Each structure stands twice: as structure tokens, then as C-alpha cells.
């Protein structure tokens, strides 16, 4: 039956097509290679563009809707120069979406989200700045990321510096600081990565040979100095210190200096120069560029906590390398006290972890300074330092045996120094010689300079402990105590004398490099050559003897802080007791009825909510 139905189906098909010329109906499509010639050809660039567009649309479709809405809202806020909306999107929205969707992956590339922002190139530059910052902080950047982030930074600064006039853009101060801070961090990261030649692939070596001025010290310094010059921030700060009027300041700084965008970028560039010159090892110039910046709580950098902490960290470190330990101690105490007071607010900041890490490094540097120049400081800072680095501090106070502790804390707390000159990637022979005889790492070079000063002062703690026992002492006797030659002992005393002298800033001193020579120790001494006449039979011998006269100045202990802290504690205890309910002893039912019947109207007040009598006649606070 099946075969019969199949035959009938074939028969019907034959009858329908019997009078039709199949060759005419079908034609010659696809035959003899004529199909390719009949269709218009699509060139390869057009085909690649279409494929790229299709891939871009597919990638855009993969972006979560919440991220799309955020980017559109963020873009509109930037267009409207709405600082409040930009601040919320930048500090809250971006970080919240990062944690939710892109904690371990990259954000969508700027080309993918371009249709959402109508291909706004200025916003895309700002977006790439956030994109590459995320790559550097959460993901290991590759060589393409490093070069592309440099190109994007150049586009941003060219837009700001080379436009016909001030650009119509407003950004929050936190973002402006982060732009400068991240620009310097990426420069530092690139220099550290570039200096390591051995792990590089052949492709990376070729790219570095052709890199030119990419992330060069000259280009980075040029950007920072250009922003300072364009904004005339030094003239602005000088005019403020001289008390000039607002109209006079406007006339001095010009159209760029009156714009908050340029003024704050110029101001943050001063802090950036402090950091860059410190990384390059020029500590005097680093403090010189800060000549117009005042280190006090009214300075503009205090409005951005990360900038505040960074400024004090690098200023304090520069003082250490210039052997101005009292100034370094004063700098660290000031900022560490600020961090302790503001710790509860730092938890709200997305940079909370970074601020804490910098604070730990400053505690380590504070321990180093206090070991080299002992002084009475704030008890809170001193106690916290001993909790963190008490063991190292004890070792550093023992002289020569504490040098490993100095080395450990210095390498932990110092900046990641960089070399201004890259390896010779463009010359194969020189590069091979560079690999065979690698130069000393910048951090090790600065460490050796620092330890040379530490070793020179190594005998000071021991000498100090002996001198505190006497008011006058024979140098020869002192040398016998320490098993040393008298002449060598006198030299060590001179080293101790030099170590107790330092240049220090005085009150209202302008600039960070100025100061006067002061004594940094509570122990002072002089060496007097005494002539002794010793009779021997009928002759008298003359003997010259070195006598050390010691004078110790005792600094009175400050009790004000102790009394204030304990008074505040007593007040808190009093308030707690005052607001606490009186304890009610358990009573039987008959006693309760008898007390209720006999209770006079003027009895102690009773809380309406709890029914408990209240101590001191106050009210019970609702729980």
C-alpha cells in the first residue's frame, strides 16, 4: 500500500510538471560559476566593520540593565554639570556596581557603551579613566592596558590644556584628585614594570623599544607643571596669604584660575609634584615645590582625605631623608591624630583600606624617627606605635643590633622609588649588558644612604645611657666603660653632639625647607680640657685631661591631657548611672498591695512606660 501511495504521488508530480520547461523555470543560478559574478562584491573593510558592529551590539546586549541605566544617568549628570549627581554616581554608584558585577572582571570597553552616550568623546575619555583605574586596582594590566591608559591620559590633559579657553566641565574635587593620583600611580607602576627586563617577551621588548616618550618622566612632569602654570595656583596661594581681595585675585589668576576645575587640578598637581620628586629621589625639590602650600587644617587639600594623608606622608618622608627627624615626627603626629579622630568617618569612604595602609606605614616611619631622635610625643600615637612595632622599636633603641629592624621598617614604609632612565631597549647589546650587570635598585640605593646615617649614630644610645648617670666624667674613664680608645670615644661624642642638632621649622615659618638649628635632645654636654698638676718627688708633672660635663634638662610631664581624658570618662560614668533605673527588690503580693495603699502622692517619679522608679529623680530613657 505504501509503495502504491508513493507511486501515485510521483505520478501527480509528473503530470503537474509535464508542460513546464524546468530549465527556464530554474534558470542557471549557481551554475558555471555565474552566481559570484552576478552579486555585488563586499570589500573586506566593510565586512569587518559589519562584523564589528554586530559583535558590539551583542556585547552591549550582555551588559546588565542596571549598568546601562547608570551609564546613561552618569552621562546626563556630566552634561548638566550637576556636581551633586556626579559625586553620588562617582563615589557610590560606580563602586557599588563594581562590587556587584565587575569585582574580578573588566568593565565594558568604551566603544561598547558609546551608543548609550551618543558617542560623546569627552564622557568616553572620563569613562576610560575610570575603566583603566579599575584594571590597575582589581586586575593585572597587560602591556596594551599600560599604553592605552597613557594615551587616554594624554587625550584628557590635551583637552584640558590645549582648548581655546577653559572647558565647560565641572567635576567633584575627589575625582580631580583621583585623576592626578592615578596618573602618577600608573606612571610609577609602569616604571617599576619597565625596569624588570628578564620576564619580558619578545613582543613586549619590541613595543618598549618603540615606546618613545610613553610614560617618560619628562612627559609626566610636563603635564603637572603645565596644569600649575595654566591655573596660576602659586600666584593664587600667594595672593591669599597676602590678604588680597577677591577682585585682585581674579585679576591675578586670569580666566583659567577662576574656574574650580583648573584651580583644583593645579593645586593637586603641586601635591603630585611632591610625590613624583620623592619617587625620583629629589627630596629637597619635592619640598621646594610645596613652598606656597600651608600645612594646616584650613588648606584645600584637607577637603579630600586621601590627598590630606598623602601630602603628610610624603612631606614626613622627605624630612626623614633630609635628616630632619623632629619635623618628620611633628608631621606624622599631626596626621595620625587626624586619622584617629576621623576613623569613624573613614569607614564610609571607598578609600578606607588605602588610608589605613598609609597610616600603618607612617607609624613605622614614626618609630624610626623616634628611635633616632627620642622625644616626648602624644601618648595615643606612642602607644599605638608600640602596639604595632614595639619589638622593632626596642631593637632600634639598642644601637648596632637594631640596624636590621631599621632596614625592615624602611623597606616596608618607604615609597616605591623609580628610576628616571629606562633600560636601553632600543639597543640589543646595551640591553644584554644591562641584564648581565643590573644597576642597583632605587629602593636599595636610598636604603644604603639611610643606613649609613643610622650606623654613624649607632653608639649614641649606649653613650647616652652612661652620660645620664653623671654630671661630669673623665673621657678616659668613659672609654674604659665601653672598651674603646679615648680618642675614638671623643669622636663618638662628637657624633652624638651632631646627632642632637637638627634644622627644624619654627612657628609661622613660610615654606617647608626653612628653619633654625635646634637641640633635639634633653641631654647636652661639653668636653673641657683640664690641666692637672701632679707632684712627684721634687718635680711637678703637667697632665692634660678631657673632662665631659653633662647637663640634663628635664621636661615637665604634661598632665592636662590625662586629666581631660579621665574627666570625660567620669562624666560618661555619671551620665550612665544618672539615667539608670533603681533596682527593685522582689516583694510578695501582700507587700505590694500594702505599699500601693500607703504610697503618698509625692513619691519618687515612676516611668510611665516601664513603671520603674528612676535614680536621682530623672527619667528612664526608652530602650
Amino acid at each position: 500500500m505504501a509503495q502504491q501511495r508513493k507511486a501515485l504521488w510521483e505520478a501527480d508530480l509528473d503530470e503537474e510538471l509535464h508542460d513546464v520547461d524546468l530549465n527556464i523555470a530554474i534558470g542557471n543560478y549557481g551554475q558555471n560559476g555565474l552566481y559570484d559574478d552576478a552579486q555585488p562584491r563586499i570589500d573586506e573593510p566593510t565586512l569587518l566593520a559589519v562584523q564589528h558592529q554586530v559583535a558590539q551590539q551583542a556585547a552591549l546586549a550582555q551588559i546588565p540593565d542596571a549598568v546601562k541605566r547608570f551609564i546613561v544617568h552618569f552621562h546626563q549628570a556630566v552634561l548638566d554639570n550637576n556636581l551633586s549627581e556626579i559625586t553620588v554616581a562617582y563615589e557610590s554608584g560606580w563602586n557599588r556596581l563594581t562590587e556587584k558585577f565587575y569585582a574580578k572582571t573588566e568593565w565594558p570597553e568604551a566603544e561598547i557603551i558609546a551608543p548609550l552616550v551618543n558617542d560623546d568623546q569627552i564622557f568616553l575619555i572620563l569613562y576610560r579613566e575610570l575603566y583603566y583605574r579599575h584594571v590597575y586596582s582589581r586586575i593585572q594590566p597587560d602591556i596594551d592596558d599600560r599604553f592605552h591608559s597613557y594615551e587616554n591620559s594624554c587625550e584628557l590633559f590635551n583637552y584640558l590644556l590645549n582648548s581655546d579657553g577653559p572647558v565647560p566641565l565641572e567635576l567633584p574635587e575627589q575625582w580631580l584628585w583621583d585623576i592626578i593620583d592615578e596618573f602618577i600611580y600608573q606612571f610609577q607602576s609602569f616604571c617599576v614594570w619597565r625596569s624588570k627586563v628578564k620576564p619580558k617577551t619578545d613582543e613586549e621588548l619590541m613595543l618598549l623599544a618603540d615606546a618613545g616618550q610613553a610614560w617618560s618622566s619628562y612627559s609626566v612632569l610636563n603635564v603637572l607643571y603645565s596644569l600649575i602654570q595654566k591655573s596660576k595656583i602659586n600666584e593664587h596661594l600667594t595672593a591669599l596669604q597676602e590678604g588680597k581681595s577677591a577682585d585682585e585675585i581674579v585679576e591675578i589668576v586670569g580666566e583659567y584660575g577662576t574656574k574650580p576645575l583648573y584651580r583644583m587640578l593645579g593645586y593637586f598637581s603641586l601635591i603630585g609634584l611632591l610625590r613624583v620628586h620623592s619617587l625620583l629621589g629629589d627630596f629637597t625639590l619635592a619640598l621646594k615645590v610645596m613652598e606656597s602650600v600651608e600645612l594646616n587644617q584650613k588648606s584645600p587639600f584637607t577637603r579630600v582625605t586621601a590627598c590630606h594623608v598623602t601630602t603628610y606622608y610624603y612631606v614626613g618622608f622627605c624630612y626623614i631623608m633630609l635628616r630632619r627627624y623632629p619635623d618628620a615626627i611633628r608631621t606624622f603626629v599631626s596626621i595620625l591624630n587626624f586619622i584617629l579622630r576621623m576613623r569613624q568617618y573613614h569607614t564610609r569612604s571607598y578609600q578606607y583600606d588605602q588610608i589605613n595602609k598609609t597610616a600603618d606605614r607612617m607609624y613605622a616611619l614614626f618609630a624610626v624617627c623616634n628611635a633616632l631622635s627620642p622625644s616626648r610625643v602624644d601618648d595615643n600615637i606612642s602607644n599605638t606605635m608600640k602596639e604595632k612595632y614595639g619589638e622593632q622599636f626596642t631593637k632600634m633603641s639598642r644601637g648596632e643590633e637594631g640596624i636590621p629592624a631599621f632596614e625592615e621598617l624602611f623597606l616596608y614604609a618607604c615609597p616605591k622609588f623609580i628610576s628616571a632612565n629606562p633600560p636601553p631597549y632600543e639597543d640589543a647589546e646595551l640591553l644584554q649588558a644591562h641584564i648581565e650587570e643590573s644597576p642597583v635598585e632605587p629602593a636599595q640605593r636610598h636604603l644604603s644612604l639611610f643606613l649609613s646615617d643610622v650606623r654613624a649614630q649607632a653608639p649614641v644610645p649606649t653613650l647616652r645611657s652612661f652620660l645620664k648617670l653623671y654630671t661630669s666624667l673623665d673621657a678616659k674613664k668613659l672609654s674604659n666603660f665601653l672598651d674603646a680608645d679615648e680618642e675614638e670615644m671623643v669622636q663618638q661624642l662628637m657624633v652624638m653632639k651632631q646627632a642632637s642638632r637638627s634644622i627644624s621649622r619654627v612657628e609661622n615659618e613660610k615654606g617647608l625647607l626653612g628653619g633654625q638649628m635646634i637641640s633635639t635632645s634633653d641631654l647636652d654636654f661639653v668636653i673641657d680640657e683640664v690641666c692637672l698638676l701632679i707632684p712627684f718627688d721634687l718635680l711637678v708633672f703637667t697632665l692634660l685631661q678631657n673632662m665631659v660635663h653633662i647637663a640634663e634638662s628635664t621636661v615637665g610631664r604634661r598632665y592636662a591631657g590625662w586629666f581631660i581624658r579621665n574627666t570625660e570618662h567620669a562624666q560618661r560614668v555619671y551620665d550612665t548611672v544618672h539615667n539608670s533605673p533603681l533596682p527593685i527588690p522582689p516583694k510578695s503580693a501582700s507587700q505590694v498591695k500594702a505599699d500601693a495603699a500607703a504610697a503618698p502622692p509625692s513619691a519618687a517619679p515612676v516611668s510611665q512606660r516601664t513603671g520603674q522608679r528612676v535614680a536621682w529623680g530623672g527619667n528612664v530613657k526608652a530602650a
Side-chain angles (χ1 to χ4, degrees):
M1 180 63 72
Q3 293 177 354
Q4 184 178 0
R5 284 200 300 269
K6 182 177 179 181
L8 292 174
W9 178 78
E10 291 177 348
D12 292 340
L13 180 62
D14 291 340
E15 290 178 0
E16 293 176 359
L17 298 178
H18 185 269
D19 298 329
V20 178
D21 189 350
L22 294 178
N23 292 329
I24 296 177
I26 298 174
N28 58 357
Y29 297 123
Q31 300 176 10
N32 300 324
L34 297 178
Y35 176 78
D36 293 337
D37 297 334
Q39 300 297 321
R41 288 183 176 273
I42 301 177
D43 57 345
E44 186 174 354
T46 304
L47 180 61
L48 292 176
V50 172
Q51 292 176 347
H52 177 72
Q53 185 177 3
V54 172
Q56 184 180 11
Q57 292 175 351
L60 183 61
Q62 297 296 323
I63 299 176
D65 292 338
V67 176
K68 292 179 183 177
R69 290 193 298 270
F70 167 76
I71 291 174
V72 172
H73 174 75
F74 198 2
H75 174 236
Q76 189 60 46
V78 172
L79 285 180
D80 298 339
N81 283 331
N82 190 333
L83 278 180
S84 60
E85 292 294 332
I86 296 174
T87 302
V88 172
Y90 174 74
E91 296 186 2
S92 177
W94 177 272
N95 295 292
R96 179 169 50 82
L97 293 174
T98 295
E99 294 296 336
K100 185 174 182 180
F101 297 107
Y102 304 107
K104 297 182 179 179
T105 59
E106 300 174 350
W107 272 73
E109 294 184 356
E111 290 74 17
I112 295 176
I113 61 103
L116 297 175
V117 298
N118 298 323
D119 203 24
D120 185 345
Q121 292 302 312
I122 303 305
F123 180 80
L124 292 179
I125 291 175
L126 295 174
Y127 176 84
R128 289 191 191 96
E129 194 273 329
L130 295 173
Y131 171 87
Y132 288 116
R133 192 192 310 174
H134 171 70
V135 170
Y136 273 83
S137 63
R138 299 294 185 97
I139 309 166
Q140 184 66 30
D142 56 22
I143 189 170
D144 290 334
D145 292 327
R146 297 181 187 276
F147 281 112
H148 290 161
S149 65
Y150 174 74
E151 294 170 359
N152 187 70
S153 297
C154 290
E155 290 183 14
L156 175 59
F157 292 122
N158 284 334
Y159 168 68
L160 296 174
L161 294 170
N162 298 329
S163 298
D164 295 334
V167 299
L169 181 65
E170 293 186 23
L171 297 177
E173 292 180 354
Q174 178 68 61
W175 195 353
L176 295 177
W177 161 251
D178 288 339
I179 288 174
I180 299 297
D181 181 65
E182 187 66 20
F183 178 61
I184 297 173
Y185 169 74
Q186 292 178 9
F187 161 65
Q188 176 187 8
S189 176
F190 183 86
C191 291
V192 172
W193 173 80
R194 181 182 59 188
S195 63
K196 300 175 182 178
V197 181
K198 291 184 179 180
K200 299 288 186 295
T201 63
D202 293 339
E203 180 182 2
E204 291 174 340
L205 293 175
M206 291 178 60
L207 290 173
L208 288 171
D210 300 333
Q213 292 295 319
W215 288 122
S216 67
S217 302
Y218 172 80
S219 61
V220 172
L221 292 172
N222 183 47
V223 166
L224 298 177
Y225 277 109
S226 297
L227 287 171
I228 293 171
Q229 184 178 9
K230 182 73 71 172
S231 64
K232 294 187 177 180
I233 187 62
N234 282 319
E235 293 83 348
H236 189 180
L237 295 174
T238 302
L240 286 176
Q241 293 169 7
E242 294 175 354
K244 294 187 180 295
S245 64
D247 294 336
E248 291 175 326
I249 293 177
V250 169
E251 186 177 353
I252 291 173
V253 300
E255 58 177 347
Y256 284 92
T258 56
K259 299 293 183 182
L261 176 76
Y262 287 93
R263 183 172 65 250
M264 294 311 300
L265 280 175
Y267 188 85
F268 291 142
S269 294
L270 291 174
I271 313 298
L273 281 179
L274 165 70
R275 179 178 174 183
V276 172
H277 288 310
S278 298
L279 295 176
L280 293 173
D282 195 341
F283 307 106
T284 302
L285 183 57
L287 295 180
K288 181 68 176 177
V289 297
M290 293 281 291
E291 190 172 11
S292 301
V293 179
E294 295 182 341
L295 294 187
N296 55 46
Q297 299 302 321
K298 297 180 180 179
S299 296
F301 63 75
T302 59
R303 298 199 292 264
V304 180
T305 304
C307 178
H308 190 183
V309 174
T310 299
T311 302
Y312 275 78
Y313 167 76
Y314 281 100
V315 168
F317 187 81
C318 288
Y319 279 139
I320 290 177
M321 298 307 292
L322 295 176
R323 299 178 179 85
R324 296 177 58 166
Y325 303 116
D327 286 336
I329 290 174
R330 191 159 49 244
T331 303
F332 291 137
V333 168
S334 175
I335 188 61
L336 291 173
N337 268 324
F338 168 79
I339 294 175
L340 286 177
R341 291 196 305 269
M342 303 297 290
R343 188 176 296 276
Q344 57 180 333
Y345 301 105
H346 292 163
T347 56
R348 305 175 188 175
S349 172
Y350 64 95
Q351 295 181 326
Y352 175 74
D353 292 337
Q354 185 62 37
I355 292 172
N356 274 344
K357 290 178 182 178
T358 306
D360 287 342
R361 294 163 70 188
M362 286 192 287
Y363 275 113
L365 294 176
F366 172 76
V368 169
C369 295
N370 210 25
L372 292 172
S373 179
S375 59
R376 187 178 298 280
V377 294
D378 186 271
D379 289 339
N380 290 334
I381 304 301
S382 182
N383 292 336
T384 305
M385 179 269 293
K386 290 177 181 178
E387 289 176 4
K388 293 177 178 291
Y389 307 106
E391 182 180 352
Q392 292 92 330
F393 180 73
T394 302
K395 292 179 180 178
M396 289 187 295
S397 302
R398 295 174 181 170
E400 188 73 29
E401 63 179 288
I403 289 181
F406 278 108
E407 180 177 356
E408 176 189 353
L409 292 186
F410 183 89
L411 290 177
Y412 164 71
C414 73
K416 291 184 178 180
F417 296 106
I418 57 178
S419 176
N421 299 318
Y425 286 104
E426 66 282 355
D427 191 320
E429 295 182 1
L430 292 178
L431 184 62
Q432 185 61 35
H434 177 89
I435 296 175
E436 293 175 356
E437 297 182 6
S438 298
V440 180
E441 292 290 333
Q444 293 295 327
R445 185 165 61 250
H446 289 290
L447 174 64
S448 63
L449 292 173
F450 172 72
L451 291 182
S452 64
D453 186 58
V454 172
R455 288 191 175 92
Q457 299 188 36
V460 170
T462 306
L463 278 174
R464 179 184 173 85
S465 63
F466 276 100
L467 292 180
K468 288 177 72 72
L469 301 175
Y470 296 88
T471 57
S472 62
L473 179 65
D474 180 10
K476 185 175 182 180
K477 185 176 181 181
L478 181 61
S479 63
N480 291 333
F481 286 154
L482 299 176
D483 296 329
D485 183 71
E486 182 178 354
E487 184 177 352
E488 181 184 353
M489 182 58 55
V490 172
Q491 293 177 357
Q492 292 181 3
L493 288 170
M494 292 298 99
V495 171
M496 181 178 176
K497 190 79 168 179
Q498 180 63 28
S500 64
R501 296 286 187 272
S502 175
I503 298 177
S504 179
R505 294 182 68 208
V506 296
E507 190 175 358
N508 298 325
E509 181 80 30
K510 184 179 179 182
L512 300 178
L513 284 174
Q516 298 178 0
M517 185 67 72
I518 64 170
S519 175
T520 61
S521 175
D522 59 354
L523 188 71
D524 200 3
F525 63 89
V526 294
I527 302 177
D528 187 16
E529 193 174 56
V530 180
C531 180
L532 298 179
L533 300 179
I534 304 177
F536 182 76
D537 292 338
L538 299 177
L539 300 176
V540 177
F541 290 93
T542 302
L543 177 64
L544 297 178
Q545 186 174 12
N546 290 324
M547 292 295 296
V548 183
H549 301 281
I550 302 102
E552 184 177 3
S553 58
T554 303
V555 179
R557 186 177 180 85
R558 298 179 180 178
Y559 297 98
W562 184 89
F563 278 112
I564 290 173
R565 286 193 299 272
N566 284 276
T567 302
E568 292 175 347
H569 177 69
Q571 183 65 39
R572 288 193 297 268
V573 173
Y574 172 80
D575 292 340
T576 302
V577 174
H578 183 275
N579 296 324
S580 299
L582 288 174
I584 301 177
K587 295 183 178 180
S588 63
S590 59
Q591 289 176 331
V592 172
K593 291 179 180 180
D595 291 342
S602 60
V606 179
S607 172
Q608 296 178 357
R609 297 182 61 182
T610 63
Q612 295 177 328
R613 286 185 297 166
V614 181
W616 314 107
N619 296 323
V620 176
K621 291 185 178 180

